[in-house]
Amino acid sequence: MSIDGQLPPKARLLRAAAELLANSGGSAVSTRQITQLAGVTAPTLYHHFGDKEGLFDAVVAAGFDDYVAGERDFAPSGQPLEDIRRMWDNHVQFGLKQPELYLVMFGNIRPESRPAIVADAEALMEEMLNKAAVSGQLNVPPKEAARSILAANVGVTLMLIAEKAPARNLELSAMTRDAMIFAVSAEQARSNESDDTGKSSVVVAAIALNAALQASHSDQLSSSELKLFLEWLHRISTSSNS
Amino acid sequence: MSIDGQLPPKARLLRAAAELLANSGGSAVSTRQITQLAGVTAPTLYHHFGDKEGLFDAVVAAGFDDYVAGERDFAPSGQPLEDIRRMWDNHVQFGLKQPELYLVMFGNIRPESRPAIVADAEALMEEMLNKAAVSGQLNVPPKEAARSILAANVGVTLMLIAEKAPARNLELSAMTRDAMIFAVSAEQARSNESDDTGKSSVVVAAIALNAALQASHSDQLSSSELKLFLEWLHRISTSSNS
DNA sequence: CCAGTTCATATAGCGTTGCTATAGGTGCTA
DNA sequence: TAGCACCTATAGCAACGCTATATGAACTGG
């Protein structure tokens, strides 16, 4: 059995690796399996991809395109926080639909080495959170919010993948998701406003202004002024609130 | 160099494996390295531990004792939710102090196979949450709460481990922790009365920030900084630019 | 139309991995 | 002292990631 379309060997290697990975059930996939299924010998693999990790990176890159497509393909609802919610669900669905690929993407953790894909996913979420920040719905700087939400999102997805399929309880995901979104949303700040000096609304406004200024370069301030202004904004918006 | 105490070979293997693992920096540790450092040959390892995974399980079991000790050793504060908070922090600290061991314990995820240690950690947290539930401080069944919190806890810890040590920001942990604990606590004073216009622009945000800053003086900026800051805010907020 | 160059694939094999079939030594009990 | 578990060592297998080297194919300049 081999993948003998008229595709070039490089594409056959990619396809073979993806297929074997998807059916590996979590156990390792050897280069010999891949090259045999692709109908190719070892040096071809290393010629095109450098090493095994390079090949898997390429598979992951293709998988990430699917991931991004899923994260973007729904129409923005006009309610950024609702979009974040769907982003979370889409992330979990992606992980459960292709667990092995997901594990290569997000489960292959090593100390002090951050996979590029995590940064990409984080940027994607930060981008979405920026919209929420601009409309004053965020309690926390988008960057920190994105990191925090993504960390919880990955944690939940990994936990679900580790469970046996019939026992996977998506309530775990929904509950954690809502907890995280509520925590970064400005709703919470409002509910706490009674016993507060009102500083939290300062923070929310500062975060919104910060996001908006960076999105559309204002010509009201010179570049040097803007730089200093943004630095102060950052100090305000990262100050503790609550 | 070898571990040549008068310890029996089994203990020497355990010690050698733990030491090599701790210094591996995330890369794989071979049985040959371990047996050589222990001053023993291969069959000895397999006689005592069955296979490599068995040896690592034994190392993990020892590490888990440390983990449990850390999770239990603080006196119960009488405020169960506060204890959960410290449990979370202790979990993160454990992960950051021994990243490689932590990765073997919690980062070695495979589809449909739940490591026993995760169940143990979950039981530990559920036990603590039970106390909160008894005193009516819980919004959610302890079991679900434990799963959810642990998932987020692991997610955050993995994310922090993946970062370069100097860049690790524990705010990420604190924020996620509080979000999760608040979400399962009964103290939620929900106010779903947010009817935001969602139309905030730079100008609107600047006006809001301006007003808020004057109402309650922020201590993030010096008075001279604040004066200039407010002047710039005025320039922005009086512009007709969106 | 051919020589030269570059790209792509194959043959064969190196060093390392986890693991084991087999045998030998050691100490206890009968 | 004989027998018997228990423990450890010698030697080596199959599979792994990877590569030095060689061969073929396709394009390019003269």
Side-chain angles (χ1 to χ4, degrees):
Chain A
M1 181 172 105
S2 67
I3 297 186
D4 273 319
Q6 307 300 23
L7 295 91
K10 185 171 179 177
R12 268 183 286 159
L13 279 167
L14 270 174
R15 188 169 296 192
E19 180 177 326
L20 285 173
L21 186 66
N23 302 334
S24 67
S27 58
V29 177
S30 73
T31 60
R32 283 177 169 81
Q33 288 178 285
I34 296 172
T35 53
Q36 178 182 345
L37 179 58
V40 161
T41 51
T44 305
L45 191 162
Y46 295 93
H47 173 71
H48 287 290
F49 298 100
D51 59 355
K52 185 185 183 181
E53 197 178 323
L55 171 57
F56 276 80
D57 283 350
V59 174
V60 161
F64 188 68
D65 290 344
D66 289 355
Y67 175 75
V68 172
E71 294 288 50
R72 285 194 196 276
D73 266 4
F74 49 80
S77 67
Q79 296 179 326
L81 288 183
E82 195 54 38
D83 290 343
I84 298 279
R85 208 167 256 114
R86 285 156 75 179
M87 213 165 171
W88 174 294
D89 289 342
N90 188 71
H91 183 113
V92 173
Q93 282 306 112
F94 181 86
L96 293 184
K97 196 175 289 180
Q98 311 195 22
E100 296 84 7
L101 179 59
Y102 184 88
L103 285 180
V104 174
M105 292 168 74
F106 290 97
N108 197 1
I109 293 157
R110 299 183 47 198
E112 317 238 349
S113 114
R114 233 164 103 78
I117 195 170
V118 175
D120 292 347
E122 211 172 287
L124 215 62
M125 179 150 287
E126 187 182 340
E127 178 186 326
M128 188 69 77
L129 279 165
N130 245 326
K131 296 179 187 170
V134 169
S135 46
Q137 299 182 335
L138 224 57
N139 200 14
V140 185
K143 192 159 195 165
E144 270 92 54
R147 288 167 44 73
S148 191
I149 294 177
L150 185 64
N153 204 352
V154 170
V156 164
T157 307
L158 291 177
M159 195 79 45
L160 285 175
I161 288 178
E163 277 170 16
K164 307 206 167 165
R168 285 171 189 160
N169 180 7
L170 288 184
E171 272 301 309
L172 167 69
S173 167
M175 176 180 155
T176 315
R177 175 199 65 195
D178 292 343
M180 293 309 302
I181 292 179
F182 179 75
V184 303
S185 81
E187 282 181 41
Q188 188 191 24
R190 291 209 186 85
S191 69
N192 288 350
E193 217 165 349
S194 53
D195 64 334
D196 204 89
T197 62
K199 192 169 76 174
S200 50
S201 60
V202 177
V203 172
V204 172
I207 289 169
L209 183 57
N210 198 343
L213 276 178
Q214 286 180 344
S216 68
H217 292 299
S218 168
D219 51 355
Q220 306 307 316
L221 303 177
S222 74
S223 64
S224 58
E225 285 173 341
L226 183 60
K227 187 180 171 192
L228 192 51
F229 187 88
L230 289 176
E231 183 190 326
W232 290 350
L233 264 183
H234 181 71
R235 271 157 66 184
I236 293 175
S237 55
T238 53
S239 73
S240 65
N241 62 316
S242 71
Chain B
M1 184 173 96
S2 67
I3 296 187
D4 273 319
Q6 308 300 25
L7 295 92
K10 186 171 178 178
R12 267 183 288 160
L13 279 167
L14 269 174
R15 189 170 295 193
E19 179 177 326
L20 285 173
L21 186 65
N23 302 333
S24 67
S27 56
V29 177
S30 73
T31 59
R32 281 177 169 80
Q33 287 178 285
I34 296 172
T35 54
Q36 179 182 344
L37 178 59
V40 159
T41 52
T44 304
L45 190 162
Y46 295 93
H47 172 70
H48 287 290
F49 299 100
D51 59 356
K52 185 185 184 182
E53 196 178 324
L55 171 58
F56 276 80
D57 283 349
V59 173
V60 161
F64 188 68
D65 290 343
D66 289 354
Y67 174 76
V68 172
E71 294 289 49
R72 285 193 196 276
D73 267 4
F74 49 80
S77 66
Q79 296 177 326
L81 289 183
E82 195 54 37
D83 290 344
I84 298 280
R85 223 177 291 270
R86 285 156 75 181
M87 213 166 172
W88 173 295
D89 289 342
N90 188 71
H91 182 112
V92 173
Q93 283 306 113
F94 181 86
L96 293 185
K97 197 174 288 180
Q98 311 193 21
E100 296 84 6
L101 179 60
Y102 184 88
L103 285 179
V104 173
M105 293 168 75
F106 291 97
N108 198 1
I109 292 156
R110 300 184 45 199
E112 318 238 349
S113 115
R114 230 164 105 78
I117 195 169
V118 175
D120 292 346
E122 211 172 288
L124 214 63
M125 179 150 286
E126 186 182 340
E127 178 186 327
M128 188 70 77
L129 280 165
N130 247 326
K131 296 178 187 171
V134 169
S135 47
Q137 299 183 333
L138 225 56
N139 203 10
V140 187
K143 193 160 194 165
E144 270 94 52
R147 289 167 45 71
S148 191
I149 294 178
L150 185 65
N153 205 350
V154 170
V156 163
T157 307
L158 291 178
M159 194 80 44
L160 284 175
I161 288 178
E163 278 172 13
K164 307 208 167 166
R168 284 172 190 159
N169 180 8
L170 288 183
E171 272 300 311
L172 167 68
S173 167
M175 175 180 157
T176 315
R177 176 198 65 194
D178 293 342
M180 293 310 301
I181 292 180
F182 179 77
V184 302
S185 81
E187 297 172 10
Q188 292 191 54
R190 290 218 154 225
S191 68
N192 289 343
E193 43 189 306
S194 72
D195 52 341
D196 214 346
T197 61
K199 281 184 60 179
S200 292
S201 64
V202 175
V203 174
V204 175
I207 291 173
L209 181 58
N210 199 342
L213 272 178
Q214 286 177 344
S216 70
H217 287 137
S218 167
D219 52 355
Q220 304 306 316
L221 302 179
S222 73
S223 62
S224 58
E225 287 173 341
L226 182 61
K227 185 182 171 189
L228 190 52
F229 187 88
L230 290 175
E231 182 193 326
W232 290 349
L233 262 184
H234 180 72
R235 272 157 67 185
I236 294 175
S237 50
T238 52
S239 76
S240 58
N241 195 4
S242 66

